[in-house]
Amino acid sequence: MEENIKQSREYVVIGLTDSRKPWFPPEVMAEINTARVFSGGRRHHEIVAALLPAGAEWIDITVPIDGVFDAYGHIHERIVVFASGDPLFFGFANTIRRKEPFAAIRLYPAHNSLQMLAHRMVMPYHDMCVVSLTGRPWHEFDRALIECRPLIGVLTDRERTPAAIARRMTEFGYDNYMMTVGCNLGNAENESITTMTIAEAAEREFPMPNCIILTATCRRDRLFGIPDGDFEHLDGRAKMITKMPIRLLSLQALGLPSRHVLWDIGFCTGSVSIEAKAQFPHLEVVAFEKREAGEALITANARRFGVPGIMALTGDFLQTDLSSLPCPDAVFIGGHGGRLAEIMSRVAEIMPEGGVVVMNSVTEQSRDTFVETARKLGMTLRTPLRVTADSHNPIEIMAAEVCPVK
């Protein structure tokens, strides 16, 4: 019975700007005048309250969203929903589609805030990289920075404000942008648009709602193969690093262009994590290191090379709670402390079919342990690659894939 209700329920979703005197065409006013049940955020209610018919029922859209749809579940008629801008642009129409895939939806969009800001700036925006930080993590924003996108539009929220964004950019050396902040766009009395440097933006607060457009003033260099000597090293020990040629070959063995989550176990300087994130910024990277000094070291190196977004964890990997971490489809074992078999067994338990484990072996013992453990775990071994870099001892790049469960 409930499924039939979901299939027959109809939503009319109307986009709003921040104007306190909204104008709607006749067909939209007809939808409003003939409806009984309305919904939207509290700010939306303030904007449209005077337009609603007498006796209208209003359902606030608040978190948790499941509670909102529980309220909708008792409605057996059309619901008119007010949303910001274009409801399909990181908007509420997408939430309806996800929660009630069989619901009928009619849309009357307005310009979204980034469109309006580009219009005010008389700026072509067809090549703009758009990122939403509204209730979302930094991942896609970090990716846009690492990719050196020349034009980035950002939807903000009360935590990821223009100032917080500017501070993150400053921390990782992305001061090669100008930031334009648009506030209360569409509100004739309170609208404001300000363009400033990243350093200036880091010190200012702006009224909500706002959005930003970042315009690059110059392009940062993206290194392909970061020189070993450019990293800050553990206690100055330059040999405690995966050498650049070996590092790049290891990334190739991991097949990172088609992977989603990389775990770097025993990261030391962080060279593998940083190189991986710099070359493949779509990746989620989680790095593990037993030494407590590792966190400060990988943070310093990530800042040096402009690579935000690496999650660094210190402590014994075999004792670490992994349940809340993104599941890896690629694992690099840079250090194992003589417990290679245990580490391989633990990651093999959680990796999906086709996931790959890579290790650089410098001793016959570690190579044999890798091969023996992979076979016991039913993994498929790849042909090792034997490499000598400069005057260092030969290294074998070992790789094994997780096989389907039979």
Side-chain angles (χ1 to χ4, degrees):
M1 179 65 176
E2 177 63 22
E3 185 63 28
N4 290 334
I5 292 173
K6 286 186 177 182
Q7 290 186 32
S8 61
R9 185 175 296 125
E10 182 181 26
Y11 292 89
V12 175
V13 189
I14 301 171
L16 296 174
T17 69
D18 202 53
S19 171
R20 274 8 190 205
K21 297 179 180 179
W23 176 89
F24 298 113
E27 61 269 28
V28 175
M29 287 305 305
E31 297 280 9
I32 295 171
N33 292 334
T34 57
R36 187 188 67 84
V37 182
F38 299 85
S39 188
R42 290 170 183 167
R43 181 172 63 88
H44 302 139
H45 194 191
E46 293 174 2
I47 292 173
V48 302
L51 301 177
L52 304 184
E57 177 182 350
W58 182 273
I59 300 172
D60 273 327
I61 297 177
T62 58
V63 293
I65 290 296
D66 285 346
V68 178
F69 281 86
D70 287 343
Y72 291 166
H74 301 290
I75 306 299
H76 308 309
E77 59 191 279
R78 173 168 51 107
I79 302 174
V80 172
V81 179
F82 293 96
S84 297
D86 181 348
L88 287 175
F89 184 79
F90 298 100
F92 196 72
N94 299 311
T95 305
I96 296 173
R97 294 185 67 197
R98 185 177 70 253
K99 293 288 187 179
E100 297 189 14
F102 299 104
I105 302 175
R106 290 203 308 281
L107 289 173
Y108 296 95
H111 286 127
N112 67 63
S113 58
L114 287 173
Q115 284 178 310
M116 295 178 69
L117 182 53
H119 294 164
R120 301 293 192 272
M121 298 168 69
V122 195
M123 169 185 285
Y125 60 92
H126 48 269
D127 291 332
M128 183 162 61
C129 173
V130 175
V131 175
S132 176
L133 291 177
T134 306
R136 290 173 168 83
W138 289 106
H139 180 76
E140 290 301 323
F141 179 71
D142 294 341
R143 177 179 180 177
L145 291 180
I146 296 170
E147 290 177 347
C148 301
R149 295 299 189 100
L151 191 65
I152 307 172
V154 187
L155 301 176
T156 64
D157 66 12
R158 294 189 180 277
E159 292 184 7
R160 290 167 173 79
T161 62
I165 292 166
R167 287 192 290 268
R168 187 174 184 85
M169 295 175 70
T170 300
E171 179 182 358
F172 289 93
Y174 289 94
D175 56 357
N176 59 316
Y177 286 88
M178 295 295 290
M179 178 185 288
T180 300
V181 182
C183 303
N184 299 302
L185 295 172
N187 186 328
E189 296 180 358
N190 297 318
E191 178 177 294
S192 65
I193 298 169
T194 310
T195 299
M196 71 214 91
T197 66
I198 300 304
E200 290 169 336
E203 302 298 325
R204 294 189 58 173
E205 297 298 332
F206 294 88
M208 293 290 294
N210 59 56
C211 63
I212 68 176
I213 291 179
L214 298 168
T215 308
T217 56
C218 62
R219 182 177 175 85
R220 282 174 54 107
D221 290 334
R222 288 187 68 186
L223 296 174
F224 181 71
I226 303 171
D228 301 336
D230 289 356
F231 284 91
E232 184 174 326
H233 297 278
L234 180 67
D235 299 326
R237 290 182 283 176
K239 291 184 178 181
M240 295 288 287
I241 188 174
T242 302
K243 300 296 184 287
M244 188 258 284
I246 307 301
R247 189 188 319 139
L248 294 180
L249 288 170
S250 299
L251 300 188
Q252 185 276 331
L254 288 161
L256 296 183
S258 59
R259 304 292 175 178
H260 302 285
V261 180
L262 168 67
W263 283 8
D264 177 9
I265 301 173
F267 64 72
C268 194
T269 62
S271 65
V272 170
S273 289
I274 290 167
E275 190 84 66
K277 185 74 173 177
Q279 305 306 332
F280 308 102
H282 71 279
L283 287 172
E284 290 187 73
V285 179
V286 184
F288 303 84
E289 173 56 54
K290 188 172 184 178
R291 303 176 185 87
E292 290 187 2
E295 184 174 3
L297 189 58
I298 194 173
T299 299
N301 282 323
R303 288 172 176 166
R304 178 175 295 185
F305 300 113
V307 182
I310 296 172
M311 179 188 298
L313 303 173
T314 56
D316 186 342
F317 173 78
L318 293 173
Q319 301 300 319
T320 300
D321 180 6
L322 307 176
S323 60
S324 63
L325 301 177
C327 182
D329 52 5
V331 172
F332 178 76
I333 302 176
H336 52 79
R339 297 186 293 174
L340 177 59
E342 296 99 310
I343 291 172
M344 289 179 65
S345 297
R346 193 172 193 204
V347 298
E349 288 176 357
I350 59 177
M351 291 184 76
E353 175 186 332
V356 63
V357 178
V358 169
M359 183 200 71
N360 296 329
S361 172
V362 295
T363 67
E364 186 175 335
Q365 180 182 1
S366 63
R367 181 197 63 196
D368 292 346
T369 301
F370 186 92
V371 171
E372 180 182 350
T373 304
R375 286 174 176 163
K376 284 182 178 179
L377 295 171
M379 303 175 77
T380 299
L381 285 159
R382 294 184 189 165
T383 302
L385 179 63
R386 188 176 178 86
V387 182
T388 301
D390 299 328
S391 60
H392 301 286
N393 293 329
I395 293 173
E396 287 190 270
I397 300 174
M398 313 293 295
E401 290 187 17
V402 177
C403 297
V405 178
K406 296 182 180 179

